[in-house]
Amino acid sequence: MKILCAGPTSIDKSVMDKMGESKTNPDLDPNYEAFHRNVEKKISKLSNTDSTSFIMLGEAILGLEASICSLMQKGERVLVIYNGFFGRGFSDYVEGYGGIAYKYKDDFHRGINLESLKEFLEKDSDFSIATLVHCETPSGITNDIESICNLLKSYNILTVVDAVSSIGGEYIDFDKFGIDVLIGGSQKCISAPVGSTLITISETAKEKIKNRNTKVPSYYLNFENYYDFKGAPFCYTFNENLIYALDRALDLVLDHDYVEVHKKYATITREIFTKCGFELFAEDSFSNTVTAIKTPAEITSSQLLRALMEKDIIISKGVGNTSETLFRIGHMGKNIDTENFKELYLAIDEIFKELNVKNKGSLYEEFLKY
Ligand SMILES: *Cc1c(COP(=O)(O)O)cnc(C)c1O
């Protein structure tokens, strides 16, 4: 199967091979701890920082929920800044743990507007935490987290950033961007198996957790148990196989200029669809890891996905109310492979022809020009 969807992405064979290795007992072998700490350092490298990183065993949503569970106390006001599906989702965690979510909504077709946010904060900045998303995967929009987080920091608001679909694909500087908690996933640009959440945390965020006057209402979700566990190296038994795979996948990412590669394929993807008369969902702030394209009126996204699946190719459709009106290509991590793209475009050309979709020219021919 050729995987070109917005995650989980293709996994390199050497990563899967690592997953099959069983070497030791992660709780008892001190060499395992040293290895694990080194993997954590590699995670910090992805956002160019020396700040603490750690791994939680679970899909990336675990990290989003855990950030609120660990940092926020009941009754705190949290600024939930959103211009897409995942951004809005933070309000569920805030309300679930008894906080007050102020839902700051922006245009879903554009990056978060800094000037409007500035005007808003001049009137109301009584927030201890703000949440936002780096890349809104459902719409293919990457927000300018550097400007936004630095603005929030100027009001002493802690910043929690969902970078699940951008880490390992977009340039991130944790300290310079003013990020307090960065949440990454293993199954998007890093191209490791699903099942681990990657967290990077600032000293300011650690202080906030330390100074809580109520206990974190969870053991499994308490960040402190991951970076400051007393009495044992880890707060539970790690899945060594998953961490070996993650380690190998991180090496593959860090060994090349992944920012440039993602930028290049994102640009090509946008250009060829636009040249062939298709419309993108985003109007600005285009993501370098995923592109959302409007599904031609003659067909539904499900029709396109089904037809591609018959040709052994997987892409994504839209999410929520755009489910049948958008289709998405994840030019993420190990999905990026020229042969894969050629097969995809050849297949889409054929399917559109069969389904009588009117478009100007061949995606495949346009792709070959690069
Ligand atoms: C993928 C993703 C997540 C995790 O969600 P799953 O769909 O369960 O993998 C969270 N945030 C963003 C922005 C994502 O792209």
Side-chain angles (χ1 to χ4, degrees):
M1 193 63 93
K2 304 266 178 302
I3 300 176
L4 281 146
C5 61
T9 53
S10 304
I11 301 175
D12 193 81
K13 184 172 180 305
S14 67
V15 173
M16 287 315 290
D17 288 347
K18 284 284 172 193
M19 184 120 181
E21 285 183 18
S22 175
K23 294 192 232 186
T24 187
N25 178 311
D27 291 320
L28 302 177
D29 181 353
N31 291 325
Y32 178 81
E33 190 193 355
F35 160 78
H36 191 101
R37 299 299 172 217
N38 195 42
V39 180
E40 293 173 337
K41 287 210 177 72
K42 291 179 188 176
I43 295 166
S44 297
K45 263 200 193 147
L46 291 174
S47 59
N48 297 287
T49 183
D50 293 326
S51 296
T52 308
S53 292
F54 56 87
I55 302 160
M56 301 175 84
L57 285 184
E59 203 278 335
I61 296 283
L62 171 72
L64 307 183
E65 176 164 352
S67 64
I68 297 301
C69 176
S70 298
L71 287 167
M72 189 198 75
Q73 301 194 78
K74 271 191 183 157
E76 273 188 275
R77 286 183 89 220
V78 176
L79 181 60
V80 177
I81 303 168
Y82 71 96
N83 58 337
F85 176 85
F86 281 104
R88 183 172 50 203
F90 268 110
S91 62
D92 289 334
Y93 313 127
V94 171
E95 287 163 0
Y97 287 98
I100 302 157
Y102 185 101
K103 298 172 191 111
Y104 178 93
K105 184 182 178 188
D106 210 333
D107 188 341
F108 274 37
H109 290 267
R110 296 175 183 278
I112 291 161
N113 187 297
L114 190 69
E115 291 311 312
S116 315
L117 182 63
K118 249 184 210 164
E119 276 173 36
F120 169 80
L121 286 167
E122 276 164 21
K123 290 185 222 107
D124 185 3
S125 60
D126 181 22
F127 301 100
S128 50
I129 303 165
T131 63
L132 66 153
V133 174
H134 191 195
C135 171
E136 270 292 356
T137 327
S139 45
I141 288 174
T142 295
N143 288 309
D144 174 7
I145 53 171
E146 177 173 13
S147 307
I148 300 166
C149 291
N150 278 309
L151 171 65
L152 293 161
K153 295 302 282 181
S154 72
Y155 287 94
N156 287 321
I157 300 171
L158 239 92
T159 57
V160 174
V161 177
D162 170 349
V164 175
S165 64
S166 57
I167 196 161
E170 303 266 10
Y171 178 73
I172 302 173
D173 186 322
F174 185 81
D175 304 290
K176 192 167 144 239
F177 287 13
I179 305 168
D180 287 301
V181 175
L182 186 75
I183 302 137
S186 57
Q187 81 275 31
K188 304 279 168 83
C189 301
I190 295 169
S191 292
V194 179
S196 54
T197 296
L198 322 178
I199 308 287
T200 304
I201 185 166
S202 73
E203 291 306 311
T204 317
K206 284 186 189 171
E207 278 299 302
K208 176 149 173 51
I209 298 171
K210 199 173 173 183
N211 294 332
R212 288 176 63 116
N213 48 38
T214 56
K215 276 184 78 166
V216 173
S218 169
Y219 174 90
Y220 220 88
L221 275 66
N222 183 353
F223 278 175
E224 218 168 36
N225 285 339
Y226 292 80
Y227 59 75
D228 193 19
F229 194 68
K230 308 277 194 301
F234 306 111
C235 56
Y236 51 65
T237 304
F238 263 87
N239 177 339
E240 60 168 321
N241 307 72
L242 206 51
I243 309 302
Y244 297 145
L246 176 63
D247 179 58
R248 171 69 188 154
L250 286 168
D251 284 344
L252 292 179
V253 172
L254 291 167
D255 279 353
H256 76 296
D257 191 350
Y258 58 87
V259 176
E260 271 314 305
V261 171
H262 282 82
K263 211 178 267 175
K264 177 179 160 193
Y265 281 90
T267 307
I268 296 175
T269 307
R270 289 195 297 271
E271 284 182 4
I272 68 171
F273 275 101
T274 313
K275 273 187 198 153
C276 290
F278 296 93
E279 246 184 287
L280 307 180
F281 179 83
E283 286 166 23
D284 63 26
S285 308
F286 303 103
S287 163
N288 286 327
T289 64
V290 54
T291 297
I293 302 131
K294 292 186 186 170
T295 307
E298 299 94 323
I299 59 166
T300 63
S301 308
S302 293
Q303 265 180 301
L304 174 60
L305 260 66
R306 243 190 332 260
L308 282 169
M309 196 78 89
E310 278 170 20
K311 296 180 189 288
D312 246 22
I313 300 171
I314 301 185
I315 61 165
S316 300
K317 48 186 193 168
V319 175
N321 61 4
T322 63
S323 148
E324 293 303 337
T325 54
L326 291 182
F327 64 97
R328 294 177 297 141
I329 296 175
H331 26 82
M332 284 179 178
K334 288 301 289 182
N335 283 4
I336 298 175
D337 174 287
T338 309
E339 291 308 311
N340 274 359
F341 282 116
K342 278 187 193 163
E343 285 204 32
L344 171 71
Y345 293 129
L346 208 51
I348 300 186
D349 279 348
E350 274 178 29
I351 292 164
F352 282 172
K353 205 167 180 186
E354 279 163 23
L355 298 174
N356 291 317
V357 171
K358 289 183 231 51
N359 57 312
K360 308 179 236 161
S362 150
L363 294 162
Y364 179 70
E365 296 296 330
E366 289 298 336
F367 183 73
L368 292 185
K369 291 181 190 165
Y370 288 92

